[in-house]
């Protein structure tokens, strides 16, 4: 996570096991979802801690987006759209 004004790196999410194709902030800015090869992660922006991983994806996940209320994450992969509950996975 980068500070746009200063260009300073604020956090890195070190638990990602493979290439990250996409990331998306929740509407409140407190969490970020990452999309990678078969795994979606939800991270706490302030601490950089991984809160949840959704590893039921069948292939590379190219896109992720939070719902407007931040309770779900939608993912897009090769021919599959997934919707994940942020609290329970």
């Amino acid at each position: 996570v980068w500070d746009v004004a200063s260009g300073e790196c604020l956090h890195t999410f070190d638990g990602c096991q493979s290439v990250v194709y996409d990331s998306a902030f929740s509407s409140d800015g407190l969490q970020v979802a990452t999309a990678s090869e078969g795994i979606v992660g939800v991270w706490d922006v302030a601490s950089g801690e991984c809160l949840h991983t959704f590893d039921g994806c069948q292939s590379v996940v190219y896109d992720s987006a939070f719902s407007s209320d931040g309770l779900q994450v939608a993912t897009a992969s090769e021919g599959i759209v997934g919707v994940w509950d942020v609290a329970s996975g």
Side-chain angles (χ1 to χ4, degrees), residues 59-74:
S59 62
V60 174
V61 180
Y62 293 108
D63 197 16
S64 62
F66 278 92
S67 60
S68 60
D69 61 9
L71 299 178
Q72 297 174 317
V73 171

Side-chain angles (χ1 to χ4, degrees), residues 17-61:
Q17 301 294 321
S18 63
V19 174
V20 175
Y21 293 100
D22 184 60
S23 61
F25 278 96
S26 58
S27 60
D28 61 10
L30 299 178
Q31 298 175 335
V32 66
T34 56
S36 61
E37 296 191 21
I39 298 175
V40 174
V42 175
W43 306 81
D44 181 270
V45 172
S47 69
E49 176 186 1
C50 182
L51 302 174
H52 298 287
T53 56
F54 313 130
D55 57 2
C57 304
Q58 309 262 329
S59 62
V60 174
V61 180

